[in-house]
Amino acid sequence: HYLTETPTTMASFCLAGNVQSDNFSHAERLLDILHQTLPVCDVVKYVCLQPTWAMAQEELCKSKNFDRNRVSNLDCIVWHEDGRLIGGASNLAEYCKNTYNVSADIELSMLNGITKENVQVVTKMFEEAPDKESYLLSVDNTPATATQY
C-alpha cells in the first residue's frame, strides 16, 4: 500500500521576508524557478514590509522553533514545509545549486527593480487586507491573494 501511493509533493518550501530587500527578491526568484522546473513543487510565501519584519521574525522563530541568533540578521527566511530551516537567500542559492543545479536567471543588479515592484504590490495588499493589524501576509501563486499568517 505504501509503495503504491504517489507523494503529492516532492519539494515544499516556505519563504518569509521583508519585500523591501533584494535578498527577498533573489530568494523568491529561485523558488519561482524551482516551482516551474520541478515536477511537483509547492512554494508558500509570507510577505511583510521593513517596519514589521522584526516582529515577523520573532513570530516565525516562536512558531517554527528557529534559532533566533541564526535568523536575526536575515532579510528573508527559507525553510522546508516540514520545518527544516534552510536559511537566508544565500543559503537558498547554495541549496538550489547543490541539490537541483538551479541558479537565478537574472543578474543580481536587476533585483532592485523587482524589489520596487514587490513593495508596490505588497503595500497594496496590506492596504486591502481585512485585518489592518496583520504584519505578515501569506501569498499563494495567484496574484493579489492574501491571508493573515
Side-chain angles (χ1 to χ4, degrees):
H1 184 280
Y2 172 73
L3 294 175
T4 61
E5 290 181 15
T6 305
T8 55
T9 304
M10 283 178 48
S12 190
F13 302 94
C14 299
L15 165 66
N18 162 23
V19 297
Q20 292 172 274
S21 159
D22 288 350
N23 287 324
F24 177 88
S25 298
H26 184 219
E28 181 182 39
R29 183 62 195 141
L30 284 166
L31 290 173
D32 286 347
I33 292 169
L34 287 182
H35 182 71
Q36 293 167 2
T37 350
L38 296 178
V40 185
C41 176
D42 288 331
V43 176
V44 177
K45 301 172 190 175
Y46 301 99
V47 295
C48 74
L49 298 169
Q50 175 61 43
T52 58
W53 177 231
M55 290 185 296
Q57 277 181 309
E58 191 62 39
E59 181 62 33
L60 284 167
C61 287
K62 287 179 188 173
S63 67
K64 303 295 180 192
N65 202 26
F66 294 151
D67 179 354
R68 180 80 177 115
N69 293 327
R70 184 166 174 209
V71 301
S72 64
N73 64 342
L74 301 176
D75 293 321
C76 66
I77 302 170
V78 184
W79 67 96
H80 294 277
E81 189 177 49
D82 66 8
R84 290 176 295 133
L85 180 65
I86 294 172
S90 60
N91 303 107
L92 177 64
E94 183 179 332
Y95 175 86
C96 288
K97 184 70 176 161
N98 293 338
T99 307
Y100 301 106
N101 198 29
V102 168
S103 299
D105 59 353
I106 56 174
E107 296 294 321
L108 295 180
S109 60
M110 296 174 62
L111 288 175
N112 192 262
I114 295 167
T115 299
K116 287 179 182 175
E117 247 180 71
N118 282 345
V119 170
Q120 290 175 345
V121 169
V122 171
T123 299
K124 184 173 177 151
M125 286 171 55
F126 276 103
E127 289 170 358
E128 295 174 354
D131 181 357
K132 298 301 179 196
E133 300 300 312
S134 297
Y135 54 85
L136 194 62
L137 297 177
S138 173
V139 182
D140 66 15
N141 289 321
T142 59
T145 302
T147 56
Q148 182 177 359
Y149 172 76

